[in-house]
Amino acid sequence: MDDPLLAPPMPALDWVSEATACVTRHEHGLLRLEAVAPDILRLRFAPSGRFATPRPWSPVLELPPAGLSVHEEDGRLWMETERLSARLDLSSGAVSFATPDGRPFAEDLCAPGWREVALEETGLQHLPDTELPPGEARIGVGVRKRMAPDEGYFGFGQRDGRLDRRHRRLTHWTVDRAAPGHGLGEDNLYQAQPTFMAVRPGLTWGLLLNSTWFSGFDVGREYEDVLTLFTLGGELDYYILAGPTPAAVVEQLTRLTGRPLLPPLWALGFHQSRWSYGTDRDVRAIAEGFRERAIPLDAIHLDIDYMDGYRVFTWDRERFPEPAATVAALQALGLRTVTIVDPGVKHDLGTGYGVAESGVAGDYFLRRPDGERFSGWVWPDESLFPDFCSERTRHWWGDLHGSLIEIGVDGVWCDMNEPSIVDRPYREPGVTEFPIPLAVRQGDEGEALHAETHNLYGHLMARATWEGLERLRPARRHWVLTRSAFVGTQRWAASWMGDNSARWEDLETSLPQLASLGLCGAPHVGVDIGGFYGHSFGELYGRWIELGAFHPFMRAHAHRDSRPQEPWSFGPEIESVARQAIELRYRLYTLAHRAHRRGEPWWRPLLFDFPDQADLYAIEDQIMIGPQLMIAPIRAPGLKRRLVELPPGCWYDFRSGARIGVGPAALVMDAPLGAMPVLVCGGSVITLGNVRQSTAEPLGELMLEIYPDDEAEGFWTLIEDDGESFEYQDGALAETDCRIAPLSRGAVFALAARRGDYQPAPRTLILRLHLPEAPAGLRLDETPVEDWRWDAELQAAEVRINDDGQTHRLVPV
């Protein structure tokens, strides 16, 4: 997409100040700057002089407005909140932003520009249209901003390629990357998140381009140190997020677009899938295979072959004669069932297929510009497609899930929802993409073109699904998985990165890909472990499963033409590696509550926790798991050791328990198959449960691994709830604060009294305090401990107590 022309000066003719906003009138257009919150500003520029009508399905939430002070001085308008300021040059129309102490950022190089755009300029492929629809769809608006030389640019949604997106041009348009899977050469993938953060030592700020139209960022590719924002739709609309840290930017972004869902506990376990476990017999055999081999598992996914002729919300009664019995058999083994649902509804009228009949009767399907219902081909052949911009349609679609809920299905997997459509049956030669025409009108009042809403199709399908489950099963937490998404989808669904391949390159690129999603406010993400396309093999699968144990969403999935890809498919050695990796996942306590409260990703790049260390920005093969753990995966065959960069602080080896160094530093660590480096940051408390075969099994023990820092105090809060209901919203939580004094002050560990209305089942607490050398003794609550032990191999003093929820203090002497 060509950048907009460098705009000429756009002097302000006059301006007016409102309580929360300032509007300036120019010869060609209106500019409005609004204080959405003290740390969030919204800028809108409409060359037409009319701002777009708010959409009922907008992914941006309404926040309580903040006050904005405005004054004119030296030819500039100064607009300020307590956390953020903006300056408008009245002679040029350029805007810049600054921190309260005056540090500038996101500075315009010129006023916004606009022009008419031709369809071929977008670079979009396989469109049925020969031109963009008339009107606002043809008007591109953009602005150029100065990029500070020391800034890294991160986020930008679901992307392949390097973590730092500087020197790239990135557009936003959801597509299905079909066989043989996506690779490094692609720009657009299944999701669109037009948001990023710019990080430099001492300052991080963020930007959300509030456009669902085709849009793009040129991040210094066309012009060095120049950031270009561009969108169709006739209006430039973006939010500036003040930061000043990566954590603050993600908090601001998810405050604006919605906090991530809190998934049920079972969804955080291990999921096994394939296209397809196609019969009741297949499904039961897989479930029994895991239980017989004592490999933990919580969910099995059913792909499209469970349906009758791929008709959504049906079952093939030959493959699954009694679906409720299949689901019950899994439940008896402590397993949940997740069923795939696609948006394409088979064009099957007059045969008793109720989904199609009710959809036509209610006029819930998309219509072409000429009024005829739009149809295209997917798995069930010719299909109709719901208009998810319509509230009526979303309600109808959500209620259709009642047929799944009635037989006990626990989760819903939304697929093919970019939407993915082709021009003829898949079995015929010459199949090509067949997208929805851009001039199709959507919404309850037909208020929007598909050119505006295309990027929201999967987002709104996930919303319709979640809201339907909420009505159908209000007492239990819902779980939805979606392939396509937009900013804000984290409110309703987890996601995965689509159809990858069984290649080392895909394992490698998954690291920055998942980290980027977390920076965009979507923490519940994963990839198909082992690779979807192609044949995986022992070493690759082993390295992927040991890495996948730390994915926020952990699922192994494979194509129907791939070799078997269950943990035992690669021989006893890899089965053992997989078992140990999955067991570790089941021992680690979830970080989902932290994500739910403030958007905090638990799979994140080093820059998130160490934003002042510019030398760490480019490192994408070391990942922080929350603020306490750092993993250093193996990304290539044959490697048995690797270089690990230590960020500032004291670091321990998670497996050996030994203190390994103080950063910043670098060291070479052994990394045999099944034991990639896992490090613990000093000042951490790692919470580990006992090994379980599913999350449904009770925790009889809870181990607190305590790692003191040299000089800094450590603090951690353990957050628990029943893992199934919404009662946590009414206070049914258990929160336990932990403090660790530094080694320089005795490494005293303090456990606060549990607070909240939720009471965990009775269990033993194991306190394991890692120390440079064995202490002479331990005191617990001022009383000498007689039955403690020193583990010389792990360099830790260990004591067991009853978890009574009361205050305790452990002191090495």
Side-chain angles (χ1 to χ4, degrees), residues 523-553:
H524 299 287
V525 290
V527 303
D528 288 342
I529 294 169
F532 179 70
Y533 286 112
H535 299 309
S536 199
F537 50 91
E539 184 185 7
L540 176 61
Y541 181 87
R543 287 302 191 186
W544 217 325
I545 198 79
E546 68 180 11
L547 170 63
F550 295 92
H551 285 167
F553 163 53

Side-chain angles (χ1 to χ4, degrees), residues 422-438:
V422 294
D423 65 341
R424 67 197 73 186
Y426 281 115
R427 59 185 172 274
E428 295 184 5
V431 169
T432 188
E433 296 173 23
F434 186 70
I436 296 167
L438 298 176

Side-chain angles (χ1 to χ4, degrees), residues 647-708:
C650 170
W651 294 88
Y652 295 79
D653 186 320
F654 174 75
R655 299 184 193 283
S656 72
R659 174 191 170 102
I660 59 174
V662 176
L667 69 159
V668 174
M669 296 189 67
D670 289 333
L673 183 60
M676 72 175 184
V678 180
L679 290 78
V680 185
C681 184
S684 297
V685 178
I686 306 299
T687 309
L688 299 173
N690 50 272
V691 174
R692 297 177 288 170
Q693 292 304 297
S694 82
T695 58
E697 295 182 11
L699 276 172
E701 293 183 346
L702 197 63
M703 180 179 291
L704 302 183
E705 297 265 14
I706 307 157
Y707 300 88

Side-chain angles (χ1 to χ4, degrees), residues 204-221:
T204 299
W205 59 275
L207 187 147
L208 167 63
L209 183 60
N210 186 31
S211 171
T212 61
W213 300 80
F214 172 82
S215 65
F217 299 117
D218 187 299
V219 194
R221 177 181 172 182

Side-chain angles (χ1 to χ4, degrees), residues 70-88:
V70 183
H71 71 276
E72 182 178 345
E73 182 180 336
D74 298 330
R76 295 177 175 86
L77 275 184
W78 298 81
M79 298 163 281
E80 298 175 309
T81 72
E82 62 192 64
R83 298 280 305 278
L84 187 56
S85 67
R87 182 184 66 195
L88 171 68

Side-chain angles (χ1 to χ4, degrees), residues 264-458:
L265 185 59
W266 66 264
L268 300 175
F270 180 52
H271 299 228
Q272 182 67 41
S273 182
R274 183 177 179 84
W275 177 25
S276 283
Y277 297 130
T279 68
D280 169 82
R281 183 176 61 256
D282 294 338
V283 172
R284 295 187 189 221
I286 291 296
E288 291 164 1
F290 273 89
R291 292 297 180 249
E292 289 169 359
R293 294 170 173 86
I295 301 174
L297 181 69
D298 257 273
I300 292 180
H301 291 217
L302 302 186
D303 211 319
I304 55 176
D305 291 318
Y306 80 88
M307 295 183 245
D308 176 15
Y310 306 129
R311 297 170 179 84
V312 290
F313 304 109
T314 68
W315 291 81
D316 185 315
R317 293 297 174 160
E318 292 186 6
R319 295 171 179 265
F320 293 89
E322 296 183 69
T326 303
V327 173
L330 296 184
Q331 290 172 340
L333 294 172
L335 298 173
R336 311 296 182 120
T337 304
V338 177
T339 50
I340 197 170
V341 176
D342 294 342
V345 175
K346 186 175 179 63
H347 194 301
D348 191 5
L349 304 176
T351 66
Y353 179 36
V355 178
E357 299 281 0
S358 65
V360 168
D363 197 20
Y364 299 131
F365 296 121
L366 294 174
R367 291 183 177 272
R368 294 179 175 276
D370 63 7
E372 293 296 317
R373 277 188 290 272
F374 170 81
S375 67
W377 277 259
V378 254
W379 304 119
D381 287 341
E382 187 180 6
S383 300
L384 304 169
F385 295 85
D387 176 7
F388 291 116
C389 288
S390 162
E391 184 178 3
R392 294 173 51 252
T393 301
R394 292 198 302 273
H395 196 282
W396 165 75
W397 185 262
D399 285 352
L400 290 173
H401 292 80
S403 62
L404 299 174
I405 298 303
E406 287 172 3
I407 65 171
V409 167
D410 292 280
V412 177
W413 164 15
C414 302
D415 200 13
M416 304 289 283
N417 55 347
E418 293 70 36
S420 179
I421 311 170
V422 294
D423 65 341
R424 67 197 73 186
Y426 281 115
R427 59 185 172 274
E428 295 184 5
V431 169
T432 188
E433 296 173 23
F434 186 70
I436 296 167
L438 298 176
V440 164
R441 292 216 159 257
Q442 295 186 238
D444 285 315
E445 306 299 328
E447 63 267 29
L449 299 172
H450 185 72
E452 179 184 355
T453 64
H454 171 88
N455 284 328
L456 293 177
Y457 199 85

Side-chain angles (χ1 to χ4, degrees), residues 417-652:
N417 55 347
E418 293 70 36
S420 179
I421 311 170
V422 294
D423 65 341
R424 67 197 73 186
Y426 281 115
R427 59 185 172 274
E428 295 184 5
V431 169
T432 188
E433 296 173 23
F434 186 70
I436 296 167
L438 298 176
V440 164
R441 292 216 159 257
Q442 295 186 238
D444 285 315
E445 306 299 328
E447 63 267 29
L449 299 172
H450 185 72
E452 179 184 355
T453 64
H454 171 88
N455 284 328
L456 293 177
Y457 199 85
H459 168 88
L460 291 174
M461 180 186 180
R463 174 180 174 178
T465 303
W466 195 95
E467 290 175 343
L469 298 178
E470 186 178 36
R471 291 190 300 274
L472 293 164
R473 196 169 54 195
R476 287 175 54 190
R477 296 213 286 266
H478 331 301
W479 191 72
V480 177
L481 177 67
T482 183
R483 188 168 77 177
S484 188
F486 195 74
V487 178
T489 307
Q490 70 272 358
R491 297 165 60 188
W492 301 299
S495 69
W496 88 107
M497 301 302 99
D499 297 342
N500 62 359
S501 297
R503 302 178 298 206
W504 288 101
E505 294 83 354
D506 289 60
L507 183 155
E508 179 178 11
T509 198
S510 72
L511 303 176
Q513 193 173 57
L514 296 183
S516 296
L517 264 293
L519 299 182
C520 294
H524 299 287
V525 290
V527 303
D528 288 342
I529 294 169
F532 179 70
Y533 286 112
H535 299 309
S536 199
F537 50 91
E539 184 185 7
L540 176 61
Y541 181 87
R543 287 302 191 186
W544 217 325
I545 198 79
E546 68 180 11
L547 170 63
F550 295 92
H551 285 167
F553 163 53
M554 185 187 187
R555 180 180 75 162
H557 184 48
H559 190 274
R560 61 182 176 183
D561 294 331
S562 301
R563 287 193 293 257
Q565 203 159 289
E566 291 72 45
W568 54 86
S569 303
F570 305 96
E573 179 187 6
I574 301 304
E575 179 182 334
S576 177
V577 166
R579 181 183 295 104
Q580 292 175 33
I582 300 170
E583 285 177 348
L584 174 58
R585 179 181 185 84
Y586 276 74
R587 297 194 66 202
L588 288 167
Y589 248 61
T590 172
L591 298 168
H593 277 283
R594 292 171 66 94
H596 178 61
R597 290 181 176 184
R598 297 182 61 84
E600 179 184 336
W602 67 75
W603 177 287
R604 59 221 208 183
L606 300 187
L607 66 93
F608 188 90
D609 293 277
F610 305 97
D612 293 336
Q613 302 298 124
D615 57 324
L616 300 179
Y617 293 177
I619 295 177
E620 54 193 35
D621 65 341
Q622 293 176 212
I623 297 295
M624 294 297 297
I625 306 300
Q628 300 184 321
L629 289 176
M630 180 173 69
I631 61 174
I634 295 297
R635 305 171 298 158
L639 299 182
K640 298 295 188 291
R641 63 185 59 83
R642 59 156 293 169
L643 180 70
V644 177
E645 296 283 347
L646 296 183
C650 170
W651 294 88
Y652 295 79

Side-chain angles (χ1 to χ4, degrees), residues 163-183:
L163 181 66
D164 190 342
R165 309 302 187 184
R166 199 161 183 142
H167 308 302
R168 288 189 64 181
R169 179 176 291 166
L170 307 161
T171 60
H172 307 284
W173 193 257
T174 59
V175 295
D176 173 11
R177 289 296 176 191
H182 53 79

